[in-house]
Amino acid sequence: AIGMADTSEKLLESKMIYHLGMEEEVPNKPEEHPIRLFENNCYNNVILPFSRHYEGVREYPLINIEDGAHSTLVHQLALHVVFNRPISVYNDFVDAIEPQKKIAYNFVKELPSQWSEMRVIEGKLGRYVVVARKDAGSNNWFVGGITDGSSREISVSFDFLDKDKLYKGIFYEDKPDADWLERPNNYMIEEAFVRKDNTFFFNLGYGGGFALILREVKHP
């Protein structure tokens, strides 16, 4: 698939795409696949949204919030929003998951089955990407941001929200000492009220990310 645009952000939002590939059978052993870009790690995950995932994920499962993912736990949560219709992998024995990790599943439980809008807030192919998607059944939004093996600060402007509406935000973020190699599960959850004219800054660890739930506050 070949897409064309003059910026990384516009590339992700572009409707112009040329499909030049042919169907390919994925072998039973994923490690034998001739194309290894489907591997889930912080370096490939900032390339795939701009390339092989235009039309949705059609390859080996890409999201895994269990041990072994080469990124932080929050990075993996964010992939549910960054990727277009991702395939998720979860432990069959949820009761065996560490209590701290089990809390992270709450983000997954909140995800809708269908999106109505998609906005690319920021992106640089191979370095970082931030995507916002709107729930098709409500005015709630979800935001996912990921980085490569570098740590970085990313600002998020919420100008995609509806004017004169208030949202309650639940923020899943890397802790200051989080990194994909030694402390991938160090994360924190914060809450804040958000409006259209707000801008928030997020610090992403090495191979890190952030994942946001923005629920519309309905006044009585």
Side-chain angles (χ1 to χ4, degrees):
I2 299 176
M4 294 185 294
D6 55 4
T7 67
S8 295
E9 292 89 347
K10 289 181 181 178
L11 181 63
L12 271 176
E13 294 180 338
S14 175
K15 303 299 181 184
M16 181 181 294
I17 179 171
Y18 294 94
H19 297 278
L20 304 177
M22 58 187 298
E23 291 298 327
E24 178 183 13
E25 183 179 352
V26 178
N28 292 329
K29 294 182 179 181
E31 64 272 13
E32 296 177 358
H33 197 289
I35 300 175
R36 300 301 300 274
L37 274 179
F38 58 69
E39 288 184 345
N40 183 346
N41 63 59
C42 57
Y43 301 100
N44 283 335
N45 292 343
V46 290
I47 297 175
L48 289 170
F50 301 92
S51 55
R52 296 173 67 84
H53 288 187
Y54 264 115
E55 57 180 3
V57 177
R58 299 168 57 190
E59 301 165 333
Y60 188 66
L62 282 156
I63 297 179
N64 187 350
I65 65 176
E66 300 307 315
D67 292 331
H70 290 195
S71 62
T72 68
L73 174 63
V74 180
H75 179 114
Q76 293 295 310
L77 294 180
L79 293 182
H80 290 85
V81 183
V82 172
F83 286 158
N84 183 14
R85 299 189 299 277
I87 303 172
S88 305
V89 179
Y90 304 114
N91 192 322
D92 291 336
F93 304 99
V94 177
D95 290 339
I97 298 172
E98 304 169 26
Q100 181 191 24
K101 273 192 178 183
K102 192 176 291 187
I103 295 174
Y105 274 93
N106 291 331
F107 177 83
V108 180
K109 292 177 183 178
E110 294 282 345
L111 291 168
S113 59
Q114 188 174 2
W115 306 112
S116 61
E117 295 183 47
M118 177 266 219
R119 305 286 179 85
V120 180
I121 299 173
E122 265 198 83
K124 189 75 170 179
L125 194 157
R127 296 180 61 189
Y128 61 90
V129 61
V130 182
V131 174
R133 297 185 192 268
K134 186 178 182 181
D135 177 8
S138 70
N139 285 324
N140 299 337
W141 284 82
F142 294 76
V143 182
I146 60 173
T147 183
D148 59 3
S150 302
S151 63
R152 67 181 76 247
E153 181 183 73
I154 293 180
S155 64
V156 175
S157 174
F158 293 96
D159 54 5
F160 55 87
L161 297 176
D162 291 338
K163 186 179 180 180
D164 299 327
K165 287 187 178 180
L166 180 66
Y167 296 80
K168 182 179 180 180
I170 302 176
F171 301 169
Y172 293 76
E173 305 173 63
D174 292 323
K175 283 187 175 180
D177 64 345
D179 66 78
W180 73 268
L181 185 59
E182 296 184 353
R183 292 172 290 274
N185 299 323
N186 286 11
Y187 74 97
M188 56 189 178
I189 302 175
E190 297 185 329
E191 296 185 1
F193 288 105
V194 182
R195 293 186 182 275
K196 181 181 180 68
D197 57 353
N198 290 150
T199 297
F200 283 70
F201 293 87
F202 298 93
N203 290 305
L204 286 65
Y206 298 96
F210 61 88
L212 316 180
I213 302 173
L214 304 173
R215 298 195 190 103
E216 179 189 5
V217 177
K218 296 182 178 180
H219 301 285

